[in-house]
Amino acid sequence: MGPGDQDWADFERRFCRHFPDLSRLFHSLYGSRPDFQRQLTSLLLEIARSWKDRPADLKLVDAGREGNSDWFQSNQMLGGVCYVDRYASDLEGVRSRIPYFKELGLTYLHLMPLFLAPEPHSDGGYAVSSYREVNPKLGTMEQLRNLAAELRANGISLVVDFIFNHTSDEHEWARKAAEGDPEYSGYYWIFPNRSLPDEFEKNVREIFPDDHPGSFIQMPDGRWVWATFHSFQWDLNYSNPEVFRAMAGEMLFLANQGVDILRMDAVAFIWKQLGTTCENLPEAHTLLQAFNAVCRIGAPSLLFKSEAIVHPDEVALYIDPAECQLSYNPLQMALIWEAMATRNVSLLSQALERRHNIPPGTSWINYVRSHDDIGWTFSDEDAAELGINGFEHRRFLNSFYVNRFPGSFAHGVPFQDNPRTGDCRISGTTASLCGLEDASAQALERILLAHSVVFSTGGIPLLYLGDEVGQLNDYQYAMEEGHTADSRWVHRPHYPAAQYEKRHDPTTAEGTIFGGLQRMISVRSATPEMAGTRLIDFNTHNQSVLGYQRPGDGSAILALANFSDEPQDIPSTTLSGFTPDAEDILSDSPLSLGYGITLNPRSYVWLRVRPQA
């Protein structure tokens, strides 16, 4: 049997395994249509063509990961995320930084939206006008393909955004729809008058009220098109199977360029139904599962990462080996900041106990902050159990993080402040939100404390590159074209070359942060208990001290983190379930639990412990 024969044998084996699921899911979405069989057949032909075109080196990756499906759950996984232009000018600049990525220990690199998008109406690259062309300012698709191969040779997986809820209004499909082409008008939610838009808007919330009211904008010819986010981003109509097939083709094309993981953008919004909020509908999950089944046949090593900044109960529903194998952990992120402001870990501890553990074969992406704003996504019901009024608590947190609350250390900037609803989100780099503008030791401790949680709770830790050397807010962001009305650019600064030069000097803020993170990275990668995501809660009986366990074979890592500004004692009785002899793996020193532990303000420990017999 030659290589080609083996390729098709592999394809046939996967087809037999996954086609029943794909057929069922596709039928669930489109089975009532008279052209269902034709649409399904066309989809299968598209998958087969994509497999035929898939490069041989990627087929080797497919084969290797098929026998190592939990590769992304390794304790050696470490993620970094950046904008290509702001961090490295272009794709060639990213390639030149691979030695640094290796120094840091990255195994996962997320390049923020880099496909063709019109300026200034690009929404930071999230208004895509072609999924098959790289923004020429950044490079070419050939350079992206070569970069993916070089990253892969250095043990680094490439992650890119798949913006599949909407396209730019300058995408070829949108331009043809705007010209009145009936085929492409069906790619979007376009209506001749306000009758149905008004009905939809009775239940649909405004997302970016500063940009436009409601969810629809009027086209030049008088028709109305759905635009959930910005007026230049038109929502795709997935009730049309032609749209599913078209986007499946784009997805498979990107997989064949060497992309390992697709960040599935705005997953909560992808299905619309009159009389509902058009968020988190069951069909959104069916769509993701169907796309996943497509990839299991045509690009089996490709993974999906869910981006759902919604109620915690809804976030969890997208996480499944058959849907999104990876998911951002927005609740943990938000509650790290909440605990930092309140010096009280009750909400964060509750979330780790109730909401951290997810299905086998999946993983969290844990982060302190991302390219996006911080929204306070905790459940009001969870908060009420702790005597917290969710609405008032969010108002406090917004006030605290924009430095309008007495005693605040934070230097955040409000984003999408809506006086009518009281809604607001927070922009700011990690260093600025932790108060590093004053170069205080306390700010440095807060930065490392926040990352200690991200690195030890289970999942892939993700660094916004630049944060590891304490990059501050860019208050000149509004001087750049197209950024004036979007405060999120304050925490998307350009590459801080001077700060990186100081990263090995422990007497500097940059060196303190970089050295502290490097220690966590090296210890985590050498600690088998840190693999996977499983977490066991640990009650410290102290509202200022977070505690949890990462179980291992006969041992566990007990993580303790003091979020207060005072020393905190954890008495021996609280630790009595463990043998007295423990090991502080961060300082590589023995520790006795027999007399309890005192944690300094804003400090943390990772202890290897063993249960009492």
Side-chain angles (χ1 to χ4, degrees):
M1 181 183 292
D5 294 332
Q6 184 61 55
D7 280 352
W8 286 109
D10 289 342
F11 182 86
E12 184 177 355
R13 174 177 51 81
R14 291 196 311 275
F15 177 86
C16 291
R17 178 179 176 185
H18 298 288
F19 175 70
D21 285 334
L22 176 57
S23 178
R24 171 181 55 81
L25 294 162
F26 202 73
H27 186 274
S28 173
L29 294 166
Y30 308 116
S32 62
R33 295 174 57 102
D35 63 347
F36 166 74
Q37 287 294 345
R38 180 179 66 81
Q39 294 286 352
L40 180 58
T41 301
S42 297
L43 175 63
L44 296 176
L45 290 173
E46 175 74 28
I47 297 170
R49 281 191 295 266
S50 176
W51 175 253
K52 179 177 180 293
D53 294 339
R54 189 159 172 78
D57 59 333
L58 296 180
K59 290 178 178 178
L60 288 175
V61 174
D62 293 334
R65 289 183 176 168
E66 196 166 18
N68 181 27
S69 60
D70 61 350
W71 64 272
F72 58 91
Q73 296 182 304
S74 165
N75 51 308
Q76 297 184 4
M77 289 294 293
L78 174 67
V81 57
C82 65
Y83 282 90
V84 171
D85 56 338
R86 304 182 83 75
Y87 191 77
S89 296
D90 53 25
L91 291 174
E92 179 60 25
V94 174
R95 189 198 63 76
S96 72
R97 298 234 155 93
I98 289 177
Y100 170 70
F101 299 152
K102 294 277 286 181
E103 174 194 337
L104 185 59
L106 291 192
T107 60
Y108 162 123
L109 179 64
H110 179 179
L111 300 179
M112 295 297 293
L114 44 72
F115 302 114
L116 194 63
E119 295 294 350
H121 296 147
S122 72
D123 187 28
Y126 284 98
V128 175
S129 52
S130 173
Y131 297 92
R132 300 193 180 212
E133 296 176 73
V134 170
N135 183 332
K137 294 179 180 178
L138 305 180
T140 65
M141 186 58 73
E142 182 182 9
Q143 286 179 308
L144 180 63
R145 189 164 53 248
N146 292 338
L147 174 62
E150 190 163 348
L151 288 168
R152 189 161 58 251
N154 283 277
I156 302 172
S157 297
L158 177 61
V159 187
V160 301
D161 291 82
F162 191 61
I163 296 94
F164 75 131
N165 176 71
H166 49 262
T167 72
S168 163
D169 60 1
E170 295 190 28
H171 193 287
E172 179 186 10
W173 304 341
R175 289 202 309 270
K176 289 182 176 179
E179 293 167 0
D181 185 310
E183 178 183 354
Y184 287 97
S185 292
Y187 273 43
Y188 301 92
W189 290 91
I190 297 176
F191 299 97
N193 54 49
R194 285 291 311 184
S195 177
L196 278 172
D198 287 342
E199 288 299 310
F200 274 109
E201 286 182 352
K202 288 178 181 179
N203 298 289
V204 175
R205 66 187 174 105
E206 288 181 332
I207 303 299
F208 286 161
D210 289 357
D211 184 81
H212 66 283
S215 294
F216 292 83
I217 58 109
Q218 192 165 26
M219 300 166 64
D221 64 4
R223 293 181 297 166
W224 292 83
V225 60
W226 202 313
T228 293
F229 298 105
H230 292 286
S231 58
F232 49 81
Q233 292 167 311
W234 293 2
D235 286 35
L236 288 163
N237 179 4
Y238 281 101
S239 68
N240 179 356
E242 300 279 355
V243 173
F244 182 96
R245 285 176 41 218
M247 293 302 281
E250 305 303 270
M251 183 183 300
L252 291 169
F253 172 82
L254 293 176
N256 282 357
Q257 308 313 301
V259 173
D260 294 283
I261 299 169
L262 290 177
R263 172 191 178 273
M264 308 300 276
D265 181 64
V267 294
F269 299 90
I270 56 175
W271 192 268
K272 328 293 191 194
Q273 183 174 321
L274 193 63
T276 73
T277 63
C278 297
E279 292 184 46
N280 300 302
L281 297 181
E283 291 85 354
H285 298 281
T286 306
L287 269 174
L288 283 166
Q289 291 164 23
F291 278 130
N292 195 42
V294 166
C295 292
R296 298 288 68 77
I297 299 171
S301 60
L302 185 73
L303 299 182
F304 291 173
K305 176 171 63 170
S306 162
E307 187 262 353
I309 313 301
V310 291
H311 189 283
D313 289 341
E314 299 290 349
V315 171
L317 295 178
Y318 292 96
I319 307 170
D320 189 275
E323 193 161 335
C324 291
Q325 299 85 4
L326 302 167
S327 174
Y328 284 107
N329 197 347
L331 178 63
Q332 176 177 284
M333 178 275 296
L335 293 182
I336 288 172
W337 292 111
E338 188 272 344
M340 200 85 73
T342 61
R343 282 73 162 178
N344 186 314
V345 302
S346 298
L347 269 174
L348 178 54
S349 181
Q350 179 197 62
L352 290 179
E353 178 183 352
R354 289 184 180 176
R355 302 187 183 277
H356 180 84
N357 288 316
I358 51 179
T362 64
S363 181
W364 288 117
I365 304 294
N366 296 320
Y367 58 109
V368 173
R369 67 98 171 186
S370 70
H371 74 287
D372 220 340
D373 55 277
I374 297 173
W376 309 111
T377 60
F378 58 84
S379 158
D380 284 0
E381 297 84 357
D382 289 349
E385 290 182 30
L386 299 171
I388 298 170
N389 179 292
F391 179 80
E392 292 300 329
H393 200 51
R394 290 183 180 89
R395 291 187 60 180
F396 155 71
L397 292 168
N398 286 326
S399 178
F400 186 94
Y401 278 105
V402 297
N403 206 252
R404 296 174 187 163
F405 192 84
S408 170
F409 51 74
H411 293 271
V413 178
F415 175 68
Q416 292 289 331
D417 199 351
N418 188 337
R420 182 173 63 83
T421 63
D423 187 35
C424 178
R425 281 102 83 192
I426 302 298
S427 298
T429 68
T430 297
S432 289
L433 293 176
C434 286
L436 193 60
E437 263 85 353
D438 64 7
S440 68
Q442 291 89 344
L444 295 172
E445 290 164 357
R446 292 184 197 107
I447 293 169
L448 292 175
L449 173 66
H451 283 95
S452 79
V453 177
V454 164
F455 276 76
S456 61
T457 44
I460 301 174
L462 180 65
L463 294 169
Y464 190 98
L465 293 173
D467 274 8
E468 77 275 26
V469 290
Q471 192 167 25
L472 296 173
N473 285 344
D474 174 14
Y475 294 108
Q476 302 302 311
Y477 75 91
M479 304 295 288
E480 296 186 50
E481 184 181 10
H483 295 178
T484 305
D486 189 343
S487 72
R488 292 173 298 179
W489 289 105
V490 80
H491 61 229
R492 302 167 181 171
H494 292 276
Y495 180 78
Q499 290 183 263
Y500 275 106
E501 289 295 322
K502 301 176 185 177
R503 70 185 184 276
H504 296 306
D505 182 352
T507 67
T508 64
E510 293 85 354
T512 299
I513 298 168
F514 188 80
L517 293 179
Q518 276 213 310
R519 181 59 184 162
M520 291 186 223
I521 292 165
S522 63
V523 168
R524 178 178 176 272
S525 67
T527 304
E529 294 95 333
M530 293 291 200
T533 60
R534 185 163 173 251
L535 178 147
I536 299 173
D537 61 288
F538 181 81
N539 189 347
T540 65
H541 303 288
N542 183 320
Q543 291 187 338
S544 294
V545 180
L546 183 68
Y548 47 90
Q549 302 173 68
R550 299 299 310 287
D553 184 9
S555 65
I557 299 301
L558 173 64
L560 300 171
N562 178 9
F563 276 76
S564 82
D565 297 323
E566 305 293 336
Q568 297 293 328
D569 295 324
I570 304 298
S572 58
T573 52
T574 299
L575 303 166
S576 60
F578 307 114
T579 60
D581 295 329
E583 178 191 1
D584 182 343
I585 62 173
L586 286 169
S587 65
D588 196 22
S589 58
L591 183 73
S592 175
L593 306 181
Y595 298 99
I597 298 174
T598 298
L599 292 169
N600 290 327
R602 300 169 297 279
S603 70
Y604 52 90
V605 292
W606 297 349
L607 305 177
R608 178 170 279 117
V609 295
R610 289 173 175 78
Q612 289 278 14

